[in-house]
Amino acid sequence: MEELSSIGVVGAGTMGRGIAQVLAQKRYRVVLCDAVPSQLERALSTIKKNLNRDVEKDRINAAERDQALANIRVQASLEELKGSALVIEAVSEVFGVKQHVFAELDRLCEQTTILATNTSSISVTQLAGTTKRPDRLIGMHFMNPVPVMKLVEIIRGLQTSEETFLATRSFVEKLDKVPVVVNDSPGFVSNRVLMPMINEAIFCVYENVATPEAVDAVMKLGMNHPMGPLTLADLIGLDVCLNIMETLYADFSDPKYRPCPLLRKMVAAGHLGRKSGQGFYRYSP
Ligand SMILES: NC(=O)c1ccc[n+]([C@@H]2O[C@H](COP(=O)([O-])OP(=O)(O)OC[C@H]3O[C@@H](n4cnc5c(N)ncnc54)[C@H](O)[C@@H]3O)[C@@H](O)[C@H]2O)c1
């Protein structure tokens, strides 16, 4: 993917907006799509806020900020993605929702377009199997917050071609990210290791072993984690955490991945973490 080629990002939530910002700063032209127009507005305002902060801190200059913003177009419909060299899907972590998006993309995009999914846990092979181009579908799993985190987990589905893999890996390197290649398995490596730890931290609160503050303090001060697991869960989104645990639980058929009832309850109450203003902690708007 050369600089200035057009790249689609579908889903303008926590991850989609971060991915769009990084691509735009690397001089790609980005079309950012979301089914919910207010999400597109929020995405643009978050990206502007992040870039303004980078200018204030002298990480970029004003011209670079303006160029990055000019590289992003927002769209409610996927039709505009027709000519994209690559489309990165970052919609909600629900198989049916992603399947629907990939069916649309498969129909609209050129046969040469690579389709990537930012899924945290859903089988890349299964998603690929819902399209007519399973060889050109791959997992490109960015970490949150995307502009800051170096890792991109690349997940090869069973039918992902070597050509698709090589193009994806070199694209990730051009973003100044570090690709780590893994095979397709529920949660891959990142969330297979991380999510059970977060779920266990939630069990500690549920079983009244400790307060959220105490659990986070133990992991920060005792294990040298940069942030506690409950602060991290709020940053990721509790709905995303629950969806990932559900996938691990269902796909491994192993009770060790049972989502904590408190996690279910919080999601049912709309306490989704930072994005809703309330999770294990409170956040001002
Ligand atoms: N949050 C994290 O820390 C994190 C980290 C890595 C990967 N991921 C993965 O990235 C993906 C997105 O997660 P997120 O946290 O950004 O979620 P989010 O809930 O913040 O955003 C999802 C967005 O998708 C949009 N959407 C839903 N259905 C759509 C459709 N049919 N067409 C277009 N847009 C649609 C929603 O309106 C919303 O804006 C998920 O697969 C998640 O597992 C999340």
Side-chain angles (χ1 to χ4, degrees), residues 10-16 33-36 39 78 89-93 97-98 100-101 118-121 141-144 235-237 239-240 244 275:
V10 187
T14 312
M15 295 305 287
C33 300
D34 200 289
V36 180
Q39 283 291 82
L78 301 185
E89 167 279 310
V91 301
S92 319
E93 185 72 353
V97 175
K98 290 188 187 290
H100 174 75
V101 167
N118 188 51
T119 181
S120 302
S121 60
H141 183 207
F142 290 85
M143 304 292 128
N144 182 13
L235 177 72
I236 293 169
D239 51 341
V240 177
I244 296 170
K275 63 183 160 188

PDB file of all heavy atoms in Angstrom, residues 10-16 33-36 39 78 89-93 97-98 100-101 118-121 141-144 235-237 239-240 244 275, ligand 1:
ATOM      1  N   VAL A  10     -13.996   0.827   8.802  1.00  0.00           N
ATOM      2  CA  VAL A  10     -15.423   0.700   9.096  1.00  0.00           C
ATOM      3  C   VAL A  10     -15.599   0.545  10.602  1.00  0.00           C
ATOM      4  O   VAL A  10     -15.044  -0.382  11.198  1.00  0.00           O
ATOM      5  CB  VAL A  10     -16.057  -0.506   8.362  1.00  0.00           C
ATOM      6  CG1 VAL A  10     -17.573  -0.508   8.558  1.00  0.00           C
ATOM      7  CG2 VAL A  10     -15.716  -0.471   6.891  1.00  0.00           C
ATOM      8  N   GLY A  11     -16.380   1.458  11.186  1.00  0.00           N
ATOM      9  CA  GLY A  11     -16.539   1.510  12.642  1.00  0.00           C
ATOM     10  C   GLY A  11     -15.692   2.670  13.146  1.00  0.00           C
ATOM     11  O   GLY A  11     -14.464   2.675  12.984  1.00  0.00           O
ATOM     12  N   ALA A  12     -16.376   3.677  13.725  1.00  0.00           N
ATOM     13  CA  ALA A  12     -15.658   4.887  14.155  1.00  0.00           C
ATOM     14  C   ALA A  12     -15.676   5.014  15.671  1.00  0.00           C
ATOM     15  O   ALA A  12     -15.695   6.105  16.211  1.00  0.00           O
ATOM     16  CB  ALA A  12     -16.283   6.115  13.499  1.00  0.00           C
ATOM     17  N   GLY A  13     -15.664   3.872  16.353  1.00  0.00           N
ATOM     18  CA  GLY A  13     -15.659   3.887  17.822  1.00  0.00           C
ATOM     19  C   GLY A  13     -14.240   4.071  18.347  1.00  0.00           C
ATOM     20  O   GLY A  13     -13.372   4.644  17.681  1.00  0.00           O
ATOM     21  N   THR A  14     -14.008   3.567  19.553  1.00  0.00           N
ATOM     22  CA  THR A  14     -12.712   3.701  20.217  1.00  0.00           C
ATOM     23  C   THR A  14     -11.560   3.352  19.268  1.00  0.00           C
ATOM     24  O   THR A  14     -10.583   4.094  19.144  1.00  0.00           O
ATOM     25  CB  THR A  14     -12.652   2.744  21.434  1.00  0.00           C
ATOM     26  OG1 THR A  14     -13.845   2.902  22.196  1.00  0.00           O
ATOM     27  CG2 THR A  14     -11.448   2.998  22.307  1.00  0.00           C
ATOM     28  N   MET A  15     -11.665   2.218  18.598  1.00  0.00           N
ATOM     29  CA  MET A  15     -10.539   1.741  17.779  1.00  0.00           C
ATOM     30  C   MET A  15     -10.516   2.358  16.389  1.00  0.00           C
ATOM     31  O   MET A  15      -9.465   2.775  15.921  1.00  0.00           O
ATOM     32  CB  MET A  15     -10.610   0.204  17.658  1.00  0.00           C
ATOM     33  CG  MET A  15     -10.427  -0.514  18.958  1.00  0.00           C
ATOM     34  SD  MET A  15      -8.909  -0.070  19.818  1.00  0.00           S
ATOM     35  CE  MET A  15      -7.680  -0.882  18.819  1.00  0.00           C
ATOM     36  N   GLY A  16     -11.666   2.408  15.737  1.00  0.00           N
ATOM     37  CA  GLY A  16     -11.717   2.908  14.357  1.00  0.00           C
ATOM     38  C   GLY A  16     -11.171   4.321  14.253  1.00  0.00           C
ATOM     39  O   GLY A  16     -10.419   4.652  13.328  1.00  0.00           O
ATOM     40  N   CYS A  33     -16.038   5.086   8.048  1.00  0.00           N
ATOM     41  CA  CYS A  33     -17.487   4.861   7.945  1.00  0.00           C
ATOM     42  C   CYS A  33     -18.058   4.379   9.273  1.00  0.00           C
ATOM     43  O   CYS A  33     -17.407   3.614   9.994  1.00  0.00           O
ATOM     44  CB  CYS A  33     -17.788   3.763   6.933  1.00  0.00           C
ATOM     45  SG  CYS A  33     -17.213   4.118   5.293  1.00  0.00           S
ATOM     46  N   ASP A  34     -19.270   4.794   9.556  1.00  0.00           N
ATOM     47  CA  ASP A  34     -19.978   4.241  10.716  1.00  0.00           C
ATOM     48  C   ASP A  34     -21.468   4.339  10.423  1.00  0.00           C
ATOM     49  O   ASP A  34     -21.916   5.281   9.761  1.00  0.00           O
ATOM     50  CB  ASP A  34     -19.642   5.015  12.003  1.00  0.00           C
ATOM     51  CG  ASP A  34     -19.948   4.200  13.252  1.00  0.00           C
ATOM     52  OD1 ASP A  34     -21.146   3.996  13.546  1.00  0.00           O
ATOM     53  OD2 ASP A  34     -18.992   3.744  13.907  1.00  0.00           O
ATOM     54  N   ALA A  35     -22.214   3.349  10.915  1.00  0.00           N
ATOM     55  CA  ALA A  35     -23.652   3.351  10.687  1.00  0.00           C
ATOM     56  C   ALA A  35     -24.337   4.430  11.517  1.00  0.00           C
ATOM     57  O   ALA A  35     -25.468   4.828  11.222  1.00  0.00           O
ATOM     58  CB  ALA A  35     -24.211   1.969  11.040  1.00  0.00           C
ATOM     59  N   VAL A  36     -23.664   4.910  12.565  1.00  0.00           N
ATOM     60  CA  VAL A  36     -24.269   5.901  13.465  1.00  0.00           C
ATOM     61  C   VAL A  36     -23.589   7.255  13.227  1.00  0.00           C
ATOM     62  O   VAL A  36     -22.420   7.436  13.589  1.00  0.00           O
ATOM     63  CB  VAL A  36     -24.091   5.465  14.944  1.00  0.00           C
ATOM     64  CG1 VAL A  36     -24.710   6.473  15.897  1.00  0.00           C
ATOM     65  CG2 VAL A  36     -24.677   4.079  15.165  1.00  0.00           C
ATOM     66  N   GLN A  39     -21.467   8.999  15.846  1.00  0.00           N
ATOM     67  CA  GLN A  39     -20.152   8.396  16.110  1.00  0.00           C
ATOM     68  C   GLN A  39     -19.086   9.008  15.202  1.00  0.00           C
ATOM     69  O   GLN A  39     -17.932   9.163  15.597  1.00  0.00           O
ATOM     70  CB  GLN A  39     -20.194   6.875  15.888  1.00  0.00           C
ATOM     71  CG  GLN A  39     -20.857   6.100  17.003  1.00  0.00           C
ATOM     72  CD  GLN A  39     -20.004   6.131  18.271  1.00  0.00           C
ATOM     73  OE1 GLN A  39     -20.044   7.095  19.028  1.00  0.00           O
ATOM     74  NE2 GLN A  39     -19.237   5.091  18.525  1.00  0.00           N
ATOM     75  N   LEU A  78     -21.099   2.548   3.119  1.00  0.00           N
ATOM     76  CA  LEU A  78     -19.872   1.829   2.731  1.00  0.00           C
ATOM     77  C   LEU A  78     -19.562   1.979   1.242  1.00  0.00           C
ATOM     78  O   LEU A  78     -18.483   1.583   0.799  1.00  0.00           O
ATOM     79  CB  LEU A  78     -20.007   0.340   3.066  1.00  0.00           C
ATOM     80  CG  LEU A  78     -20.270  -0.052   4.530  1.00  0.00           C
ATOM     81  CD1 LEU A  78     -20.255  -1.572   4.687  1.00  0.00           C
ATOM     82  CD2 LEU A  78     -19.237   0.568   5.462  1.00  0.00           C
ATOM     83  N   GLU A  89     -11.864  -3.399   9.164  1.00  0.00           N
ATOM     84  CA  GLU A  89     -13.157  -3.447   9.869  1.00  0.00           C
ATOM     85  C   GLU A  89     -12.904  -3.324  11.371  1.00  0.00           C
ATOM     86  O   GLU A  89     -12.088  -4.075  11.927  1.00  0.00           O
ATOM     87  CB  GLU A  89     -13.869  -4.756   9.484  1.00  0.00           C
ATOM     88  CG  GLU A  89     -15.058  -5.136  10.327  1.00  0.00           C
ATOM     89  CD  GLU A  89     -14.649  -5.801  11.627  1.00  0.00           C
ATOM     90  OE1 GLU A  89     -13.843  -6.748  11.610  1.00  0.00           O
ATOM     91  OE2 GLU A  89     -15.160  -5.340  12.678  1.00  0.00           O
ATOM     92  N   ALA A  90     -13.592  -2.355  12.005  1.00  0.00           N
ATOM     93  CA  ALA A  90     -13.470  -2.183  13.467  1.00  0.00           C
ATOM     94  C   ALA A  90     -14.859  -1.910  14.055  1.00  0.00           C
ATOM     95  O   ALA A  90     -15.047  -0.974  14.829  1.00  0.00           O
ATOM     96  CB  ALA A  90     -12.498  -1.055  13.791  1.00  0.00           C
ATOM     97  N   VAL A  91     -15.837  -2.731  13.653  1.00  0.00           N
ATOM     98  CA  VAL A  91     -17.191  -2.576  14.226  1.00  0.00           C
ATOM     99  C   VAL A  91     -17.299  -3.444  15.485  1.00  0.00           C
ATOM    100  O   VAL A  91     -16.338  -4.132  15.866  1.00  0.00           O
ATOM    101  CB  VAL A  91     -18.309  -2.937  13.199  1.00  0.00           C
ATOM    102  CG1 VAL A  91     -18.206  -2.037  11.970  1.00  0.00           C
ATOM    103  CG2 VAL A  91     -18.280  -4.393  12.799  1.00  0.00           C
ATOM    104  N   SER A  92     -18.462  -3.404  16.114  1.00  0.00           N
ATOM    105  CA  SER A  92     -18.655  -4.078  17.404  1.00  0.00           C
ATOM    106  C   SER A  92     -18.222  -5.558  17.353  1.00  0.00           C
ATOM    107  O   SER A  92     -18.334  -6.211  16.311  1.00  0.00           O
ATOM    108  CB  SER A  92     -20.125  -3.988  17.807  1.00  0.00           C
ATOM    109  OG  SER A  92     -20.609  -2.696  17.510  1.00  0.00           O
ATOM    110  N   GLU A  93     -17.785  -6.044  18.516  1.00  0.00           N
ATOM    111  CA  GLU A  93     -17.224  -7.401  18.611  1.00  0.00           C
ATOM    112  C   GLU A  93     -18.345  -8.453  18.667  1.00  0.00           C
ATOM    113  O   GLU A  93     -18.493  -9.193  19.648  1.00  0.00           O
ATOM    114  CB  GLU A  93     -16.316  -7.484  19.851  1.00  0.00           C
ATOM    115  CG  GLU A  93     -15.561  -8.783  20.050  1.00  0.00           C
ATOM    116  CD  GLU A  93     -14.406  -9.017  19.072  1.00  0.00           C
ATOM    117  OE1 GLU A  93     -14.252  -8.229  18.134  1.00  0.00           O
ATOM    118  OE2 GLU A  93     -13.697 -10.004  19.256  1.00  0.00           O
ATOM    119  N   VAL A  97     -22.655  -8.976  13.385  1.00  0.00           N
ATOM    120  CA  VAL A  97     -22.455  -7.588  12.922  1.00  0.00           C
ATOM    121  C   VAL A  97     -21.287  -7.556  11.934  1.00  0.00           C
ATOM    122  O   VAL A  97     -21.366  -6.968  10.849  1.00  0.00           O
ATOM    123  CB  VAL A  97     -22.175  -6.649  14.128  1.00  0.00           C
ATOM    124  CG1 VAL A  97     -21.845  -5.243  13.656  1.00  0.00           C
ATOM    125  CG2 VAL A  97     -23.370  -6.630  15.075  1.00  0.00           C
ATOM    126  N   LYS A  98     -20.206  -8.240  12.269  1.00  0.00           N
ATOM    127  CA  LYS A  98     -19.032  -8.250  11.386  1.00  0.00           C
ATOM    128  C   LYS A  98     -19.362  -8.996  10.085  1.00  0.00           C
ATOM    129  O   LYS A  98     -18.965  -8.569   8.999  1.00  0.00           O
ATOM    130  CB  LYS A  98     -17.847  -8.915  12.100  1.00  0.00           C
ATOM    131  CG  LYS A  98     -17.291  -8.057  13.250  1.00  0.00           C
ATOM    132  CD  LYS A  98     -16.015  -8.629  13.804  1.00  0.00           C
ATOM    133  CE  LYS A  98     -15.517  -7.923  15.050  1.00  0.00           C
ATOM    134  NZ  LYS A  98     -15.017  -6.572  14.839  1.00  0.00           N
ATOM    135  N   HIS A 100     -22.157  -9.223   8.564  1.00  0.00           N
ATOM    136  CA  HIS A 100     -22.974  -8.350   7.724  1.00  0.00           C
ATOM    137  C   HIS A 100     -22.083  -7.325   7.007  1.00  0.00           C
ATOM    138  O   HIS A 100     -22.226  -7.081   5.807  1.00  0.00           O
ATOM    139  CB  HIS A 100     -24.019  -7.662   8.612  1.00  0.00           C
ATOM    140  CG  HIS A 100     -24.812  -6.644   7.919  1.00  0.00           C
ATOM    141  ND1 HIS A 100     -25.814  -6.968   7.021  1.00  0.00           N
ATOM    142  CD2 HIS A 100     -24.744  -5.289   7.943  1.00  0.00           C
ATOM    143  CE1 HIS A 100     -26.317  -5.850   6.535  1.00  0.00           C
ATOM    144  NE2 HIS A 100     -25.696  -4.816   7.077  1.00  0.00           N
ATOM    145  N   VAL A 101     -21.155  -6.731   7.745  1.00  0.00           N
ATOM    146  CA  VAL A 101     -20.247  -5.725   7.158  1.00  0.00           C
ATOM    147  C   VAL A 101     -19.382  -6.371   6.073  1.00  0.00           C
ATOM    148  O   VAL A 101     -19.226  -5.825   4.979  1.00  0.00           O
ATOM    149  CB  VAL A 101     -19.377  -5.073   8.260  1.00  0.00           C
ATOM    150  CG1 VAL A 101     -18.226  -4.278   7.667  1.00  0.00           C
ATOM    151  CG2 VAL A 101     -20.238  -4.184   9.152  1.00  0.00           C
ATOM    152  N   ASN A 118     -10.201  -6.037  12.770  1.00  0.00           N
ATOM    153  CA  ASN A 118      -9.536  -5.660  14.032  1.00  0.00           C
ATOM    154  C   ASN A 118     -10.117  -6.469  15.202  1.00  0.00           C
ATOM    155  O   ASN A 118      -9.947  -6.108  16.362  1.00  0.00           O
ATOM    156  CB  ASN A 118      -9.735  -4.157  14.258  1.00  0.00           C
ATOM    157  CG  ASN A 118      -8.925  -3.626  15.422  1.00  0.00           C
ATOM    158  OD1 ASN A 118      -7.739  -3.858  15.514  1.00  0.00           O
ATOM    159  ND2 ASN A 118      -9.585  -2.920  16.333  1.00  0.00           N
ATOM    160  N   THR A 119     -10.807  -7.564  14.881  1.00  0.00           N
ATOM    161  CA  THR A 119     -11.439  -8.339  15.960  1.00  0.00           C
ATOM    162  C   THR A 119     -10.451  -8.696  17.066  1.00  0.00           C
ATOM    163  O   THR A 119      -9.279  -8.962  16.805  1.00  0.00           O
ATOM    164  CB  THR A 119     -12.101  -9.629  15.425  1.00  0.00           C
ATOM    165  OG1 THR A 119     -12.704 -10.309  16.539  1.00  0.00           O
ATOM    166  CG2 THR A 119     -11.111 -10.576  14.767  1.00  0.00           C
ATOM    167  N   SER A 120     -10.965  -8.737  18.294  1.00  0.00           N
ATOM    168  CA  SER A 120     -10.142  -9.077  19.454  1.00  0.00           C
ATOM    169  C   SER A 120     -10.131 -10.574  19.715  1.00  0.00           C
ATOM    170  O   SER A 120      -9.276 -11.065  20.451  1.00  0.00           O
ATOM    171  CB  SER A 120     -10.717  -8.423  20.713  1.00  0.00           C
ATOM    172  OG  SER A 120     -10.785  -7.048  20.562  1.00  0.00           O
ATOM    173  N   SER A 121     -11.122 -11.287  19.198  1.00  0.00           N
ATOM    174  CA  SER A 121     -11.240 -12.688  19.619  1.00  0.00           C
ATOM    175  C   SER A 121     -11.963 -13.598  18.630  1.00  0.00           C
ATOM    176  O   SER A 121     -11.844 -14.820  18.716  1.00  0.00           O
ATOM    177  CB  SER A 121     -11.999 -12.754  20.951  1.00  0.00           C
ATOM    178  OG  SER A 121     -13.289 -12.195  20.809  1.00  0.00           O
ATOM    179  N   HIS A 141      -4.846  -6.678  14.297  1.00  0.00           N
ATOM    180  CA  HIS A 141      -5.379  -6.361  15.630  1.00  0.00           C
ATOM    181  C   HIS A 141      -4.541  -5.266  16.284  1.00  0.00           C
ATOM    182  O   HIS A 141      -3.463  -5.537  16.827  1.00  0.00           O
ATOM    183  CB  HIS A 141      -5.389  -7.643  16.467  1.00  0.00           C
ATOM    184  CG  HIS A 141      -5.981  -7.490  17.824  1.00  0.00           C
ATOM    185  ND1 HIS A 141      -5.642  -8.275  18.887  1.00  0.00           N
ATOM    186  CD2 HIS A 141      -6.901  -6.607  18.304  1.00  0.00           C
ATOM    187  CE1 HIS A 141      -6.321  -7.898  19.959  1.00  0.00           C
ATOM    188  NE2 HIS A 141      -7.090  -6.889  19.623  1.00  0.00           N
ATOM    189  N   PHE A 142      -5.052  -4.037  16.212  1.00  0.00           N
ATOM    190  CA  PHE A 142      -4.383  -2.896  16.828  1.00  0.00           C
ATOM    191  C   PHE A 142      -4.693  -2.886  18.323  1.00  0.00           C
ATOM    192  O   PHE A 142      -5.695  -3.441  18.770  1.00  0.00           O
ATOM    193  CB  PHE A 142      -4.895  -1.584  16.224  1.00  0.00           C
ATOM    194  CG  PHE A 142      -4.468  -1.349  14.800  1.00  0.00           C
ATOM    195  CD1 PHE A 142      -5.178  -1.889  13.734  1.00  0.00           C
ATOM    196  CD2 PHE A 142      -3.352  -0.571  14.524  1.00  0.00           C
ATOM    197  CE1 PHE A 142      -4.780  -1.664  12.422  1.00  0.00           C
ATOM    198  CE2 PHE A 142      -2.949  -0.340  13.219  1.00  0.00           C
ATOM    199  CZ  PHE A 142      -3.665  -0.887  12.161  1.00  0.00           C
ATOM    200  N   MET A 143      -3.847  -2.199  19.081  1.00  0.00           N
ATOM    201  CA  MET A 143      -4.050  -2.087  20.526  1.00  0.00           C
ATOM    202  C   MET A 143      -4.539  -0.677  20.861  1.00  0.00           C
ATOM    203  O   MET A 143      -4.291   0.273  20.119  1.00  0.00           O
ATOM    204  CB  MET A 143      -2.742  -2.361  21.285  1.00  0.00           C
ATOM    205  CG  MET A 143      -2.112  -3.701  20.966  1.00  0.00           C
ATOM    206  SD  MET A 143      -3.081  -5.108  21.574  1.00  0.00           S
ATOM    207  CE  MET A 143      -3.219  -6.086  20.074  1.00  0.00           C
ATOM    208  N   ASN A 144      -5.183  -0.551  21.985  1.00  0.00           N
ATOM    209  CA  ASN A 144      -5.799   0.701  22.423  1.00  0.00           C
ATOM    210  C   ASN A 144      -4.913   1.386  23.472  1.00  0.00           C
ATOM    211  O   ASN A 144      -4.514   0.710  24.429  1.00  0.00           O
ATOM    212  CB  ASN A 144      -7.166   0.317  23.031  1.00  0.00           C
ATOM    213  CG  ASN A 144      -7.977   1.486  23.506  1.00  0.00           C
ATOM    214  OD1 ASN A 144      -7.685   2.628  23.200  1.00  0.00           O
ATOM    215  ND2 ASN A 144      -9.016   1.185  24.267  1.00  0.00           N
ATOM    216  N   LEU A 235     -11.013   1.308  30.093  1.00  0.00           N
ATOM    217  CA  LEU A 235     -10.459   1.912  28.870  1.00  0.00           C
ATOM    218  C   LEU A 235     -10.877   1.099  27.632  1.00  0.00           C
ATOM    219  O   LEU A 235     -11.274   1.660  26.608  1.00  0.00           O
ATOM    220  CB  LEU A 235      -8.927   1.962  28.973  1.00  0.00           C
ATOM    221  CG  LEU A 235      -8.176   2.501  27.754  1.00  0.00           C
ATOM    222  CD1 LEU A 235      -8.369   4.008  27.643  1.00  0.00           C
ATOM    223  CD2 LEU A 235      -6.690   2.197  27.853  1.00  0.00           C
ATOM    224  N   ILE A 236     -10.820  -0.217  27.751  1.00  0.00           N
ATOM    225  CA  ILE A 236     -11.182  -1.088  26.617  1.00  0.00           C
ATOM    226  C   ILE A 236     -12.678  -0.969  26.328  1.00  0.00           C
ATOM    227  O   ILE A 236     -13.097  -0.916  25.176  1.00  0.00           O
ATOM    228  CB  ILE A 236     -10.824  -2.564  26.945  1.00  0.00           C
ATOM    229  CG1 ILE A 236      -9.304  -2.719  27.035  1.00  0.00           C
ATOM    230  CG2 ILE A 236     -11.408  -3.520  25.922  1.00  0.00           C
ATOM    231  CD1 ILE A 236      -8.849  -4.067  27.606  1.00  0.00           C
ATOM    232  N   GLY A 237     -13.482  -0.903  27.365  1.00  0.00           N
ATOM    233  CA  GLY A 237     -14.952  -0.935  27.230  1.00  0.00           C
ATOM    234  C   GLY A 237     -15.439  -2.251  27.810  1.00  0.00           C
ATOM    235  O   GLY A 237     -14.994  -3.325  27.377  1.00  0.00           O
ATOM    236  N   ASP A 239     -18.303  -3.683  27.583  1.00  0.00           N
ATOM    237  CA  ASP A 239     -19.046  -4.475  26.596  1.00  0.00           C
ATOM    238  C   ASP A 239     -18.086  -5.269  25.715  1.00  0.00           C
ATOM    239  O   ASP A 239     -18.321  -6.455  25.422  1.00  0.00           O
ATOM    240  CB  ASP A 239     -19.961  -3.581  25.746  1.00  0.00           C
ATOM    241  CG  ASP A 239     -19.241  -2.380  25.136  1.00  0.00           C
ATOM    242  OD1 ASP A 239     -18.153  -2.006  25.619  1.00  0.00           O
ATOM    243  OD2 ASP A 239     -19.768  -1.818  24.157  1.00  0.00           O
ATOM    244  N   VAL A 240     -16.970  -4.624  25.339  1.00  0.00           N
ATOM    245  CA  VAL A 240     -15.966  -5.324  24.519  1.00  0.00           C
ATOM    246  C   VAL A 240     -15.368  -6.483  25.336  1.00  0.00           C
ATOM    247  O   VAL A 240     -15.243  -7.607  24.841  1.00  0.00           O
ATOM    248  CB  VAL A 240     -14.861  -4.341  24.049  1.00  0.00           C
ATOM    249  CG1 VAL A 240     -13.781  -5.072  23.259  1.00  0.00           C
ATOM    250  CG2 VAL A 240     -15.448  -3.208  23.206  1.00  0.00           C
ATOM    251  N   ILE A 244     -15.588 -10.495  24.378  1.00  0.00           N
ATOM    252  CA  ILE A 244     -14.384 -11.324  24.204  1.00  0.00           C
ATOM    253  C   ILE A 244     -14.461 -12.561  25.114  1.00  0.00           C
ATOM    254  O   ILE A 244     -14.196 -13.683  24.689  1.00  0.00           O
ATOM    255  CB  ILE A 244     -13.107 -10.511  24.493  1.00  0.00           C
ATOM    256  CG1 ILE A 244     -12.958  -9.380  23.461  1.00  0.00           C
ATOM    257  CG2 ILE A 244     -11.869 -11.416  24.471  1.00  0.00           C
ATOM    258  CD1 ILE A 244     -11.862  -8.369  23.778  1.00  0.00           C
ATOM    259  N   LYS A 275     -16.172   5.130  27.908  1.00  0.00           N
ATOM    260  CA  LYS A 275     -17.008   5.661  26.822  1.00  0.00           C
ATOM    261  C   LYS A 275     -18.417   6.024  27.282  1.00  0.00           C
ATOM    262  O   LYS A 275     -19.079   6.826  26.639  1.00  0.00           O
ATOM    263  CB  LYS A 275     -17.027   4.710  25.625  1.00  0.00           C
ATOM    264  CG  LYS A 275     -17.616   3.342  25.851  1.00  0.00           C
ATOM    265  CD  LYS A 275     -17.480   2.507  24.564  1.00  0.00           C
ATOM    266  CE  LYS A 275     -17.605   1.032  24.863  1.00  0.00           C
ATOM    267  NZ  LYS A 275     -17.297   0.199  23.701  1.00  0.00           N
TER     268      LYS A 275
HETATM  269  N1  LIG B   1     -11.652  -1.312  22.770  1.00  0.00           N
HETATM  270  C1  LIG B   1     -10.465  -1.893  22.710  1.00  0.00           C
HETATM  271  O1  LIG B   1      -9.604  -1.689  23.579  1.00  0.00           O
HETATM  272  C2  LIG B   1     -10.132  -2.799  21.558  1.00  0.00           C
HETATM  273  C3  LIG B   1      -8.785  -3.159  21.356  1.00  0.00           C
HETATM  274  C4  LIG B   1      -8.448  -3.940  20.257  1.00  0.00           C
HETATM  275  C5  LIG B   1      -9.452  -4.386  19.407  1.00  0.00           C
HETATM  276  N2  LIG B   1     -10.759  -4.048  19.645  1.00  0.00           N
HETATM  277  C6  LIG B   1     -11.771  -4.530  18.692  1.00  0.00           C
HETATM  278  O2  LIG B   1     -12.053  -3.487  17.774  1.00  0.00           O
HETATM  279  C7  LIG B   1     -13.419  -3.580  17.347  1.00  0.00           C
HETATM  280  C8  LIG B   1     -14.138  -2.283  17.677  1.00  0.00           C
HETATM  281  O3  LIG B   1     -14.070  -2.075  19.068  1.00  0.00           O
HETATM  282  P1  LIG B   1     -14.327  -0.640  19.717  1.00  0.00           P
HETATM  283  O4  LIG B   1     -13.835  -0.712  21.104  1.00  0.00           O
HETATM  284  O5  LIG B   1     -13.857   0.434  18.806  1.00  0.00           O
HETATM  285  O6  LIG B   1     -15.936  -0.638  19.750  1.00  0.00           O
HETATM  286  P2  LIG B   1     -16.930   0.604  19.886  1.00  0.00           P
HETATM  287  O7  LIG B   1     -18.171   0.063  20.489  1.00  0.00           O
HETATM  288  O8  LIG B   1     -16.244   1.774  20.524  1.00  0.00           O
HETATM  289  O9  LIG B   1     -17.201   1.013  18.345  1.00  0.00           O
HETATM  290  C9  LIG B   1     -17.839   0.164  17.422  1.00  0.00           C
HETATM  291  C10 LIG B   1     -18.395   1.049  16.316  1.00  0.00           C
HETATM  292  O10 LIG B   1     -18.936   0.218  15.273  1.00  0.00           O
HETATM  293  C11 LIG B   1     -20.075   0.862  14.773  1.00  0.00           C
HETATM  294  N3  LIG B   1     -20.902  -0.111  14.041  1.00  0.00           N
HETATM  295  C12 LIG B   1     -21.621  -1.138  14.568  1.00  0.00           C
HETATM  296  N4  LIG B   1     -22.234  -1.828  13.564  1.00  0.00           N
HETATM  297  C13 LIG B   1     -21.878  -1.209  12.405  1.00  0.00           C
HETATM  298  C14 LIG B   1     -22.184  -1.444  11.031  1.00  0.00           C
HETATM  299  N5  LIG B   1     -22.976  -2.469  10.659  1.00  0.00           N
HETATM  300  N6  LIG B   1     -21.659  -0.622  10.095  1.00  0.00           N
HETATM  301  C15 LIG B   1     -20.867   0.409  10.455  1.00  0.00           C
HETATM  302  N7  LIG B   1     -20.543   0.701  11.744  1.00  0.00           N
HETATM  303  C16 LIG B   1     -21.042  -0.113  12.704  1.00  0.00           C
HETATM  304  C17 LIG B   1     -20.751   1.438  15.998  1.00  0.00           C
HETATM  305  O11 LIG B   1     -21.675   2.479  15.667  1.00  0.00           O
HETATM  306  C18 LIG B   1     -19.552   1.965  16.786  1.00  0.00           C
HETATM  307  O12 LIG B   1     -19.244   3.297  16.456  1.00  0.00           O
HETATM  308  C19 LIG B   1     -14.000  -4.801  18.067  1.00  0.00           C
HETATM  309  O13 LIG B   1     -13.882  -5.917  17.242  1.00  0.00           O
HETATM  310  C20 LIG B   1     -13.103  -4.924  19.299  1.00  0.00           C
HETATM  311  O14 LIG B   1     -13.068  -6.215  19.814  1.00  0.00           O
HETATM  312  C21 LIG B   1     -11.111  -3.253  20.698  1.00  0.00           C
END
